[in-house]
Amino acid sequence: MLLSLLAGLQADGVVRLGIMAERVHGLAPGLYSLESDGRLKLLHAKPLANELASACLGQAWMAQAALIVLVWANLPALELDYGPRAYRLAHLLSGQLGQRAYLAASALGLGCCGIGAFFDAEVDQVLGLTPDEHLLYLLAFGPVRK
Ligand SMILES: Cc1cc2nc3c(=O)[nH]c(=O)nc-3n(C[C@H](O)[C@H](O)[C@H](O)COP(=O)(O)O)c2cc1C
């Protein structure tokens, strides 16, 4: 449910979505991109949770999450289409996605925490993004420890 909801939100192609699956029933751990038709495409299976948490100002708790949703964009390409407002648009859409992800998590009885504190170049490198792609936002999901 969560993934199909998020896949629909990237239909305009402004931002791209991916997930880092760590502890998801029926899904092998790894980094996936979420394609516009809702399919998950494995980008690589290397465990990255600790490296990602380290690039997010050492927020070690993130590595405990079952799933991390990643939002990124190709900013130079967006600027060709939207001009100087591209950067703002990409962040506004990331925020909308994040709010919907929080709602979906609540509906599923899961915890969700948006993460905006990260070292830009480091997270891009950990995720293996191309030089023009930049991570905008990420959200950690999972059962909340009682
Ligand atoms: C844009 C954005 C960035 C955030 N970045 C972080 C973060 O880097 N680390 C963190 O622990 N929480 C982060 N949060 C989560 C907030 O600290 C807070 O838990 C969340 O907004 C829910 O607020 P509440 O707990 O008062 O309901 C972020 C939230 C938002 C909306």
Side-chain angles (χ1 to χ4, degrees), residues 59 61 99 102 113-117 137:
Q59 300 190 67
W61 61 269
Q99 289 304 106
Y102 266 85
C113 184
I115 298 151
Y137 194 25

Side-chain angles (χ1 to χ4, degrees), residues 2-135:
L2 176 65
L3 295 182
S4 54
L5 186 147
L6 294 175
L9 290 173
Q10 64 172 357
D12 56 15
V14 173
V15 293
R16 295 292 316 275
L17 283 168
I19 62 165
M20 185 180 290
E22 284 293 319
R23 295 164 200 87
V24 180
H25 189 64
L27 188 63
L31 178 66
Y32 298 81
S33 63
L34 187 55
E35 303 298 303
S36 50
D37 60 4
R39 277 182 317 112
L40 285 173
K41 182 173 152 196
L42 182 66
L43 299 179
H44 49 83
K46 199 172 78 167
L48 294 172
N50 287 322
E51 273 183 76
L52 187 63
S54 166
C56 292
L57 277 56
Q59 300 190 67
W61 61 269
M62 287 174 53
Q64 310 291 319
L67 172 79
I68 293 184
V69 171
L70 307 151
V71 186
W72 72 86
N74 182 323
L75 293 174
L78 274 186
E79 277 167 21
L80 290 178
D81 288 337
Y82 296 96
R85 294 186 175 174
Y87 186 72
R88 185 174 62 177
L89 175 68
H91 278 281
L92 283 170
L93 287 176
S94 302
Q96 286 179 6
L97 274 162
Q99 289 304 106
R100 293 201 190 190
Y102 266 85
L103 284 174
S106 299
L108 294 168
L110 296 172
C112 175
C113 184
I115 298 151
F118 51 83
F119 296 115
D120 296 325
E122 277 187 36
V123 286
D124 293 349
Q125 195 216 329
V126 169
L127 297 172
L129 299 182
T130 67
D132 284 345
E133 291 176 323
H134 299 287
L135 188 76

